[in-house]
Amino acid sequence: MVEGQIPFELYETGNTKKNWNIKKIKTSHKVLTEYKYQKNEIKKGYANRTLYVNLSTGKIKEKKVTEDMKKKFTGGRGFGLKLLWDSIKPTTHWDDEENELIITTGPLCGVTQYPGSGKSLCVTISPSTGIICDSNVGGFFGPYLKFAGFDAIEMQGKAKDDIVIVIDGEKGKITIETALEEETDSHLLSEQLTYMYASEENEKSRQKVSVVSSGTAAENSYWGCLNFSFYDIRRKIPRLKQAGRGGFGTVLRDKKIKAIVVKVEKFDGVENNPADPVTLAKIGTKLHKEIRDLDRHQCNMRSVGTVHLVEIMDEYDLLPTENFRFGSFPKASNIYSQEFYKFFTKIIPDGCWHGCSMACAKTVDGFTVMTGPYKDQKVTVDGPEYETVGCGANMSIWDPSWILEFNFYCDTYGIDTISTGTTIAFCMEMYEYGILNKERCNGLELCFGNAEASMELIHRIARGDRREFTQVAGKGVRRLKDWLINKGWGNKQFINDCGMESKGLEYSEYVTKESLAMQGGYGLTLKGPQHDEAWLIFMDMVNNAIPTFQDKAEALHYYPMWRTWFGLNGLCKLPWNDVEPSNNAETDDPSKVPEHVQNYVEYQNAVTGWNVDKEELILQSERCYNWQRAMNVWLGKGCRKNDWIPYRSMGPVTEMEYKSRSERYDNQLVEKLGYSENKIEKMDIKEKMNILYDFRQDQYQKLADAVYYRRGWTPNGVPTPQKLKQLGMSDPKMLKILQKKIDKDEKAGLNIWGGKYSIEEKTPSKDLHYWKNGINIS
Amino acid sequence: MKKAKIVKILKFHTEMCNGCLECEKACSQVHFKTDEGGEKSAIQIIKNKGLYKMIVCNQNGLCIDMCPVGAITRRKTGVVSLDKNTCIGCQACVGFCPFDGMKKSEERIEPFKCISCGSCVKACSEGALELIEVKIDDIKEVVYHKQEA
């Protein structure tokens, strides 16, 4: 398929054809609840109501979106936080009745003119972390949910048996129907439901349906992801994008939701009724032109998607290999982007929402499955993306075919590739040291590079294998660490240093050892260690552009706020800085991409009719960011001890790691710690490692000090009532909760700096109660 | 389905053009039922260093593979055509056309383009425009680019 310009009716994927009796399956559905609603026009990006569904009681209702709600929470993830705040208790556990699964859109979601405008934002209490998790995802569901009439859907309670929720935007009707006959795994289920609910038997009708589903492994692990479908009229299958992090699929299946289906009657380019469609088309077209002219010289997203990062990360010693022990590997070139380019289907507009010409959602069609229940079938694999390839490296799997196999099964079983890959990599390291062995892994030889054993573990999880190791492994690194320690297998500190999780969530695939700011980017976060709040490695490590704690803290204020903004609006971050205007390097602040920031100012104004500037965009985020942290405090977390990160993300845990980069570490002992070269030569490696260990741990605490100060939080990392009031988030109940926590911390002596400062070193402020007068540091 | 092999495209004889823009007016009549020309015309005549230049679609079909909803197809006549009922107004085709052959008017969100109808040819009293037949295989291009080394 390389010649291009093939009429879409003639495209062939080469996939195995399915033979289902869709009508029979549909007839088996029993409608449990039906709810009719008045169809409304969307006004300037908002449907102005949200949908509430209770699966225990069958109650369905509409909630109004007020102007106050827009002002405080903007939309998207912000709305998710607001709805969750109104519905749960501080004691709510992920699998409690009152926990909600919320999918939101955002005022710019569903715009087709500006690339990257179709993101849904999911919010829930996560099984992995016990706090709020948010995850953004492409696919058609978010835009269609809004076009069907709702800015968000919240699902509470649990159904008795498997059900589907159907939002019919054509008829203005919502139903909850039993769904016992369908498949559970996403690549099959999404196709069955797309065909089942399309109004007519043609491609155009199927394109107006989107399905959210998960899979069998989500039921038996904490890694469950949500698959959001987007029907591809050329491939004639629904393709899938994942809300991966934090266990959303696990929550979905715990509620016995098999899928959520939405369909729309129609949509055109101005379904959002933007205030100024002319400006919108102009700025969108400008970006299309930039992508056309510059992408091939910059990130090459249109050719290989995010996989272009693999070779860059390997070159800069940032590609996690063997459970983050190293940042590069001799075999890494086997999984560079050109190796995946050979597999990708070419000349198809690969956007996960219409109009995204960045088109990073690459796909392998006709892939022959090698293991498990779908062995020998030919399927479409959505991806891999960089993170999934990074998981391959982390498990020391250097064969693109096995990475595709891993990618396919994680997706269709409904589990997050990142959490799965990072957990298996941890098991493999433990296996290497004998802390785990074949017997303890129920017969699996989980040594580095054993792709077949990794796949077998995943299959066992999907099958609901009850054996101890399968049960624990599927709950992720934190539970595995506790299990190993409780069994008395291995040294406690060593296990804690190696297990790559923070807050209960597994790390995503970047080595952060040499970038303190990026350690903060992973640790000083709301939901756990992922790269969507900040990606500062190049700025910090390669360009040394943020040398002081204050500089790093400023970056760890600005970037998390900036990046949060995309999630409030239903946007993808990639078109912000994965293509940059040709004169970007000459601007005042190239890493912010000022011209694109201005695009977003104009974009939000053009849709909503507001008159905001770039400072207001940051304020929109600051409101929600602080609110989310405050909610985490309410849930009993959200302070310094919860921002702990494992030493593997800070420095060399093992002698092997130190030795492999000994020149680097020895130099640092001289340059940063003032040891003489003579002295270093005489020290043994253990002594040097201990010095580095203490130094880097202290650096991280000092970074936390500076960041909390910059964000206007207490030295224990708690958002203050003063700060929230300043932001206009002055819900008395929340202010009281925070004040109570701060008073408690004060009594416990926790409102102190975490770093050990020498006389020459300055703390962020002389006054430990700097926040009390509501200082405005911005 | 029989594939078209030949397509009619516009040829411009710059030396004969007097800049009257009657072609644009005729074109906007076809697309928007108005004789405003300008941004409502799929053909555009501009003066560049004393010479007139034509900007119009050459039917090479680059945009076909850009369209996420399959609104752009090559018709039996070989002409590349945009179905505005299917179009969702994303402007990807407008942005990606290397010679601004896909047009967008402020009047509506869906772009439009030359359909080789010949109205402009008829409207030109100087004979500066001509529809000529070319082999599609000779002009066809695909958006996708190979990875750079």
Side-chain angles (χ1 to χ4, degrees):
Chain A
M1 222 188 287
V2 281
E3 74 267 39
Q5 297 195 17
I6 300 171
F8 65 83
E9 301 87 2
L10 303 182
Y11 272 88
E12 285 283 349
T13 55
N15 289 352
T16 306
K17 300 255 186 303
K18 283 92 165 184
N19 225 340
W20 292 312
N21 189 340
I22 299 285
K23 269 190 191 144
K24 196 179 151 210
I25 302 172
K26 196 176 186 183
T27 322
S28 75
H29 283 198
K30 203 174 118 197
V31 176
L32 303 173
T33 310
E34 186 176 301
Y35 177 85
K36 290 205 167 129
Y37 67 95
Q38 196 69 41
K39 290 202 278 179
N40 276 345
E41 231 180 35
I42 295 158
K43 287 183 186 142
K44 296 176 186 171
Y46 289 97
N48 289 311
R49 64 181 165 186
T50 64
L51 178 64
Y52 172 88
V53 177
N54 191 311
L55 297 157
S56 299
T57 63
K59 187 178 173 160
I60 297 175
K61 67 177 178 184
E62 295 166 46
K63 290 186 183 175
K64 198 171 158 13
V65 169
T66 63
E67 289 307 309
D68 184 59
M69 187 166 158
K70 290 182 201 169
K71 205 173 141 192
K72 286 182 175 144
F73 295 96
T74 307
R77 173 170 144 200
F79 280 9
L81 295 172
K82 152 84 177 145
L83 295 170
L84 201 62
W85 168 248
D86 290 343
S87 308
I88 60 165
K89 297 191 233 110
T91 51
T92 300
H93 200 240
W94 72 272
D95 56 358
D96 286 341
E97 286 266 328
E98 72 257 17
N99 187 24
E100 294 195 327
L101 181 67
I102 302 172
I103 302 171
T104 69
T105 63
L108 312 188
C109 179
V111 165
T112 58
Q113 290 81 34
Y114 201 86
S117 300
K119 288 274 189 167
S120 306
L121 273 295
C122 310
V123 177
T124 195
I125 299 290
S126 154
S128 303
T129 65
I131 52 172
I132 297 162
C133 191
D134 57 273
S135 192
N136 75 78
V137 53
F140 295 168
F141 188 87
Y144 287 180
L145 176 67
K146 187 162 39 159
F147 301 161
F150 304 98
D151 290 318
I153 173 171
E154 52 180 322
M155 290 155 279
Q156 200 171 33
K158 294 184 191 191
K160 281 195 191 74
D161 289 309
D162 278 349
I163 54 104
V164 288
I165 301 169
V166 183
I167 304 156
D168 184 343
E170 207 176 285
K171 297 200 176 92
K173 190 176 80 179
I174 293 140
T175 50
I176 303 174
E177 306 172 12
T178 59
L180 305 171
E181 305 281 316
E182 282 88 349
E183 300 280 346
T184 302
D185 290 340
S186 274
H187 82 291
L188 303 173
L189 176 60
S190 60
E191 193 168 329
Q192 288 180 328
L193 293 174
T194 300
Y195 276 75
M196 195 182 293
Y197 288 100
S199 300
E200 290 168 43
E201 285 188 15
N202 59 45
E203 300 304 315
K204 275 187 189 175
S205 288
R206 286 173 208 128
Q207 203 177 25
K208 288 176 186 154
V209 177
S210 178
V211 178
V212 176
S213 59
S214 192
T216 45
E219 298 165 1
N220 307 306
S221 75
Y222 283 179
W223 304 326
C225 71
L226 299 179
N227 285 303
F228 280 54
S229 80
F230 54 116
Y231 191 81
D232 187 327
I233 52 169
R234 290 171 171 88
R235 294 181 174 94
K236 297 156 199 81
I237 49 162
R239 295 181 47 201
L240 303 172
K241 272 281 177 188
Q242 292 76 32
R245 309 308 323 272
F248 283 88
T250 306
V251 177
L252 183 94
R253 294 303 293 132
D254 183 61
K255 293 187 176 304
K256 296 269 187 211
I257 304 172
K258 213 168 205 179
I260 312 150
V261 181
V262 65
K263 81 170 165 187
V264 290
E265 185 177 4
K266 58 153 188 84
F267 68 98
D268 54 34
V270 284
E271 205 67 32
N272 268 311
N273 285 312
D276 180 0
V278 171
T279 301
L280 200 51
K282 272 186 191 148
I283 51 172
T285 306
K286 188 178 78 165
L287 189 64
H288 286 313
K289 287 188 173 162
E290 261 174 55
I291 295 171
R292 176 193 71 189
D293 296 336
L294 303 171
D295 175 59
R296 69 192 69 183
H297 309 296
Q298 295 181 3
C299 295
N300 221 4
M301 296 291 258
R302 288 179 53 75
S303 293
V304 293
T306 55
V307 174
H308 77 273
L309 286 165
V310 179
E311 44 267 36
I312 301 172
M313 294 305 126
D314 185 46
E315 189 186 335
Y316 283 95
D317 207 21
L318 298 166
L319 178 72
T321 63
E322 298 192 342
N323 195 32
F324 298 87
R325 287 197 297 209
F326 314 110
S328 59
F329 209 76
K331 291 183 188 170
S333 62
N334 292 348
I335 57 167
Y336 281 2
S337 64
Q338 69 264 23
E339 299 305 320
F340 287 98
Y341 179 77
K342 292 174 190 163
F343 286 88
F344 291 143
T345 308
K346 285 117 190 144
I347 325 176
I348 284 193
D350 280 320
C352 69
W353 169 241
H354 299 315
C356 187
S357 52
M358 185 155 262
C360 73
K362 295 300 151 203
T363 300
V364 178
D365 291 312
F367 174 75
T368 309
V369 181
M370 300 184 283
T371 66
Y374 308 115
K375 189 169 188 263
D376 296 330
Q377 291 188 21
K378 286 184 184 294
V379 297
T380 287
V381 187
D382 270 290
E385 296 191 45
Y386 165 74
E387 295 290 332
T388 305
V389 180
C391 287
N394 233 341
M395 296 183 280
S396 215
I397 294 171
W398 306 103
D399 179 341
S401 302
W402 281 106
I403 292 174
L404 288 169
E405 177 92 358
F406 171 76
N407 193 154
F408 167 73
Y409 269 114
C410 283
D411 287 358
T412 196
Y413 281 161
I415 51 175
D416 174 29
T417 56
I418 298 175
S419 282
T420 309
T422 298
T423 305
I424 295 176
F426 173 64
C427 293
M428 288 172 162
E429 192 185 1
M430 295 297 106
Y431 200 98
E432 185 172 300
Y433 306 139
I435 295 171
L436 282 175
N437 54 38
K438 199 171 169 180
E439 191 194 336
R440 290 171 187 176
C441 295
N442 305 131
L444 291 177
E445 285 181 275
L446 267 182
C447 50
F448 280 117
N450 193 343
E452 280 165 85
S454 306
M455 291 312 304
E456 179 52 26
L457 175 61
I458 296 169
H459 295 315
R460 286 182 186 182
I461 292 171
R463 288 199 299 265
D465 182 85
R466 304 305 300 170
R467 281 173 287 181
E468 196 176 4
F469 175 70
T470 319
Q471 287 290 311
V472 181
K475 293 188 172 62
V477 172
R478 175 163 287 188
R479 277 80 184 176
L480 261 168
K481 288 195 307 190
D482 294 345
W483 182 66
L484 295 173
I485 292 164
N486 283 337
K487 291 272 187 190
W489 299 335
N491 174 282
K492 182 179 172 182
Q493 188 193 327
F494 180 71
I495 290 168
N496 279 324
D497 284 345
C498 293
M500 286 295 278
E501 62 86 19
S502 167
K503 299 182 174 68
L505 187 70
E506 289 74 22
Y507 265 66
S508 69
E509 311 306 319
Y510 293 102
V511 170
T512 56
K513 286 175 194 166
E514 301 312 314
S515 166
L516 179 60
M518 194 60 208
Q519 291 164 30
Y522 271 111
L524 307 171
T525 48
L526 296 173
K527 67 171 175 266
Q530 32 65 41
H531 49 283
D532 96 343
E533 281 199 19
W535 202 93
L536 303 171
I537 298 182
F538 271 28
M539 202 192 291
D540 191 31
M541 182 189 105
V542 181
N543 304 328
N544 199 23
I546 42 174
T548 67
F549 286 113
Q550 208 182 347
D551 296 334
K552 292 185 209 303
E554 185 54 39
L556 283 168
H557 167 72
Y558 178 81
Y559 288 98
M561 298 312 148
W562 173 243
R563 286 164 165 260
T564 293
W565 185 81
F566 292 83
L568 305 180
N569 288 281
L571 299 182
C572 174
K573 288 180 278 286
L574 301 192
W576 157 54
N577 72 346
D578 277 304
V579 63
E580 292 175 350
S582 51
N583 65 351
N584 190 53
E586 292 132 44
T587 58
D588 296 345
D589 209 342
S591 52
K592 289 184 181 168
V593 199
E595 189 181 319
H596 286 182
V597 172
Q598 188 53 33
N599 281 0
Y600 287 110
V601 170
E602 288 169 33
Y603 180 7
Q604 199 184 45
N605 287 333
V607 173
T608 61
W610 300 339
N611 183 22
V612 298
D613 56 18
K614 62 180 183 184
E615 282 77 23
E616 175 61 25
L617 302 192
I618 296 297
L619 271 174
Q620 290 169 5
S621 293
E622 239 187 314
R623 290 183 196 114
C624 296
Y625 194 93
N626 278 274
W627 187 262
Q628 188 166 338
R629 180 78 170 187
M631 280 183 74
N632 285 343
V633 171
W634 177 57
L635 292 162
K637 291 178 178 155
C639 52
R640 186 184 288 264
K641 72 168 189 230
N642 307 109
D643 290 343
W644 170 92
I645 56 171
Y647 187 64
R648 174 58 58 70
S649 66
M650 295 181 192
V653 174
T654 59
E655 287 188 19
M656 176 168 47
E657 285 163 86
Y658 193 102
K659 280 182 188 156
S660 76
R661 312 286 189 269
S662 61
E663 199 181 329
R664 174 194 295 165
Y665 297 130
D666 284 352
N667 276 341
Q668 286 179 10
L669 291 176
V670 175
E671 283 164 18
K672 290 194 175 168
L673 285 140
Y675 287 89
S676 71
E677 280 177 36
N678 273 343
K679 198 164 180 193
I680 296 288
E681 266 174 41
K682 282 176 203 142
M683 279 184 193
D684 77 7
I685 189 163
K686 283 219 167 61
E687 198 178 350
K688 290 193 282 190
M689 283 174 69
N690 285 339
I691 295 167
L692 204 62
Y693 190 96
D694 291 339
F695 174 69
R696 293 197 172 192
Q697 293 279 11
D698 185 52
Q699 291 277 300
Y700 180 73
Q701 293 306 330
K702 282 175 178 152
L703 177 71
D705 290 343
V707 170
Y708 296 154
Y709 176 75
R710 175 61 187 90
R711 289 180 185 169
W713 298 350
T714 70
N716 196 32
V718 176
T720 63
Q722 289 86 347
K723 176 83 190 181
L724 263 78
K725 267 194 232 164
Q726 252 175 22
L727 293 168
M729 305 297 277
S730 41
D731 183 320
K733 184 179 148 196
M734 182 63 95
L735 299 185
K736 227 168 138 184
I737 291 161
L738 294 175
Q739 192 58 55
K740 209 174 137 193
K741 167 69 180 157
I742 292 168
D743 292 345
K744 203 175 142 198
D745 283 354
E746 192 72 28
K747 267 190 205 145
L750 292 173
N751 288 333
I752 52 165
W753 303 121
K756 297 185 191 89
Y757 294 87
S758 67
I759 303 165
E760 304 91 66
E761 281 178 304
K762 267 170 74 180
T763 54
S765 157
K766 280 180 188 159
D767 177 12
L768 271 170
H769 298 114
Y770 52 85
W771 73 86
K772 280 198 169 163
N773 299 322
I775 44 148
N776 193 351
I777 332 173
S778 294
Chain B
M1 196 163 70
K2 226 179 146 188
K3 257 172 126 182
K5 292 203 170 110
I6 302 284
V7 62
K8 284 181 183 163
I9 64 168
L10 277 172
K11 191 175 177 190
F12 183 54
H13 303 282
T14 181
E15 69 285 356
M16 292 160 101
C17 177
N18 65 5
C20 69
L21 304 183
E22 285 302 318
C23 54
E24 290 193 12
K25 291 172 193 164
C27 184
S28 65
Q29 198 58 254
V30 172
H31 289 283
F32 292 92
K33 296 193 170 53
T34 164
D35 57 5
E36 286 168 60
E39 62 127 37
K40 291 194 172 66
S41 166
I43 179 172
Q44 198 187 347
I45 303 293
I46 57 165
K47 204 167 185 178
N48 188 8
K49 290 175 192 161
L51 272 181
Y52 290 106
K53 203 181 144 198
M54 172 183 71
I55 301 173
V56 76
C57 172
N58 73 354
Q59 315 294 345
N60 76 5
L62 266 170
C63 50
I64 294 173
D65 293 322
M66 281 306 298
C67 183
V69 291
I72 307 174
T73 50
R74 195 179 284 282
R75 295 237 179 125
K76 279 184 216 148
T77 56
V79 167
V80 176
S81 130
L82 184 149
D83 170 18
K84 70 175 195 288
N85 294 321
T86 305
C87 172
I88 42 90
C90 73
Q91 319 300 323
C93 53
V94 180
F96 270 70
C97 180
F99 35 78
D100 294 331
M102 190 64 85
K103 305 287 183 187
K104 161 82 173 64
S105 153
E106 293 190 2
E107 181 128 335
R108 63 161 196 252
I109 200 74
E110 300 88 4
F112 64 102
K113 66 181 290 299
C114 171
I115 49 169
S116 297
C117 70
S119 294
C120 54
V121 177
K122 274 184 214 146
C124 182
S125 54
E126 307 300 312
L129 287 165
E130 184 189 357
L131 271 176
I132 59 160
E133 288 192 339
V134 292
K135 281 188 193 150
I136 292 171
D137 282 344
D138 292 345
I139 58 159
K140 187 171 145 181
E141 285 183 51
V142 289
V143 167
Y144 214 86
H145 47 79
K146 293 222 162 61
Q147 265 196 306
E148 299 215 336

